[in-house]
Amino acid sequence: MSEHVRYIDRTRDYYLSQGYDKPYEWAHHTDAPFAPLPKPLAECRVAIVSTSDIAIKSPDGSRDRSHEFGVGNVYSLPSDTPLDLLYSRQEHFDQHATTLEDVNSYYPVARLQELVSRGRIGSLAPRFHGVYTGYSKRKTAEADAPEVLRRCIEDDVDVALMTPV
Amino acid sequence: MSLVARHLEANGIPTVTFGTAKDIVEHCGVSRFVFTDFPLGNACGRSFDSVQQHEVIELGLRLLETACAPRTTVQTPAVWSDDDSWKQLIFTEEQPFLSGEALENWLAAKQRYRDKKSKGEL
């Protein structure tokens, strides 16, 4: 098994080669906050927070091709949205190696519903949340993250699963 | 993603982050991280493999139950393929990351960001 990809180095070199001379500065911290699990998972209400650009198809089954999204604010989806109505608008994944056709491979809603049925986790929050990335670390930290927190508190969320693409 | 996780943690909501970009998540620093050495896109297990997806999620749940300090990373045993060429090719001139419509959409999104910023909307 070869070593994992070093994306910070790889993307810096790649975008330099593409003519972008100002390397992206990835968020960096030496510490990290830590909240202990407050109660057994079987009693916890769980939410997904995702940057997978998850979206709901139109009633006629069509997908949003406008791409007007992608720069904006936090949005939420009902956690009981039927699986066949969900899709990802995200294009920033390894399109040469894989696909986003199976929502559960990056937004594991069906797996969580099964875990609720088995009693492994208590329940799902009524809403799951989407966050757009890649435009401003400051805005993510100062506006989007507090908004996700506000919605999670509003829904009495005990645990959040974070799923990027 | 990691920045949002950090904010939830700092305000008392425990999180576990699932990811395929080990260096980026650990550079930012999160409480609990489940790393799967897969191409960008399938951080919760291989597509249409519900058994593996459960294995990945379960590792995250165990991390929630057992991690006693931040920056705890576990790696899932999942292997994408015997052929690691995807690791060699991602983000190389030989294989552009985005092309065609996806590249145009990215450039348009960058422009929208600049426009919003110049109008003071961000």
Side-chain angles (χ1 to χ4, degrees):
Chain A
M1 188 167 57
S2 64
E3 199 186 1
H4 64 270
V5 178
R6 296 180 181 277
Y7 286 102
I8 294 175
D9 296 341
R10 193 74 71 86
T11 55
R12 182 185 55 231
D13 294 346
Y14 176 70
Y15 287 111
L16 276 172
S17 77
Q18 301 294 304
Y20 297 96
D21 55 1
K22 191 179 170 197
Y24 184 76
E25 289 182 25
W26 295 93
H28 180 56
H29 302 272
T30 51
D31 65 336
F34 185 85
L37 192 65
K39 53 189 174 188
L41 279 171
E43 298 171 18
C44 284
R45 177 174 281 198
V46 177
I48 295 176
V49 181
S50 186
T51 51
S52 62
D53 215 341
I54 194 83
I56 302 174
K57 293 174 194 167
S58 304
D60 65 1
S62 65
R63 302 181 178 202
D64 173 21
R65 307 301 300 170
S66 71
H67 290 277
E68 281 306 308
F69 295 89
V71 177
N73 300 308
V74 173
Y75 65 99
S76 300
L77 302 82
S79 61
D80 60 358
T81 303
L83 191 60
D84 59 359
L85 291 183
L86 294 173
Y87 72 104
S88 170
R89 290 178 302 220
Q90 183 62 259
E91 294 178 321
H92 292 227
F93 66 100
D94 190 345
Q95 302 192 39
H96 302 278
T98 190
T99 74
L100 300 184
E101 283 307 302
D102 179 13
V103 166
N104 282 298
S105 69
Y106 50 88
Y107 184 84
V109 57
R111 301 293 83 82
L112 294 188
Q113 287 165 348
E114 290 156 5
L115 289 167
V116 172
S117 302
R118 294 178 199 171
R120 180 72 174 99
I121 56 178
S123 63
L124 301 186
R127 297 179 292 180
F128 292 165
H129 309 290
V131 182
Y132 298 111
T133 59
Y135 54 100
S136 166
K137 289 187 290 290
R138 184 183 58 79
K139 183 167 181 301
T140 300
E142 294 179 9
D144 295 350
E147 178 60 20
V148 172
L149 174 67
R150 191 187 68 73
R151 295 185 192 201
C152 286
I153 291 172
E154 207 169 87
D155 291 348
D156 290 324
V157 166
D158 298 304
V159 167
L161 305 190
M162 317 299 289
T163 64
V165 155
Chain B
M1 185 85 284
S2 303
L3 291 171
V4 179
R6 291 173 58 89
H7 190 74
L8 294 179
E9 292 279 347
N11 288 277
I13 296 180
T15 67
V16 56
T17 299
F18 297 85
T20 55
K22 187 170 191 282
D23 60 333
I24 292 173
V25 175
E26 292 185 338
H27 192 67
C28 186
V30 297
S31 56
R32 308 166 189 83
F33 176 36
V34 175
F35 169 59
T36 300
D37 197 6
F38 275 8
L40 297 172
N42 305 136
C44 299
R46 191 181 296 274
S47 296
F48 304 110
D49 184 343
S50 60
V51 172
Q52 186 182 79
Q53 290 169 3
H54 267 299
E55 288 168 355
V56 172
I57 302 298
E58 179 59 28
L59 272 179
L61 298 181
R62 293 212 190 135
L63 210 45
L64 281 160
E65 293 171 321
T66 59
C68 53
R71 306 189 78 100
T72 304
T73 297
V74 295
Q75 178 168 353
T76 70
V79 176
W80 183 252
S81 66
D82 293 335
D83 173 10
D84 272 349
S85 60
W86 65 271
K87 293 186 182 182
Q88 313 305 325
L89 289 169
I90 183 86
F91 288 108
T92 58
E93 290 188 64
E94 186 182 350
Q95 180 187 281
F97 183 59
L98 298 176
S99 58
E101 194 184 343
L103 178 62
E104 289 170 20
N105 290 335
W106 175 64
L107 293 171
K110 279 169 73 84
Q111 189 57 47
R112 283 198 297 278
Y113 169 61
R114 284 190 212 104
D115 293 346
K116 278 177 178 276
K117 198 171 182 184
S118 67
K119 289 181 197 163
E121 294 174 11
L122 288 176

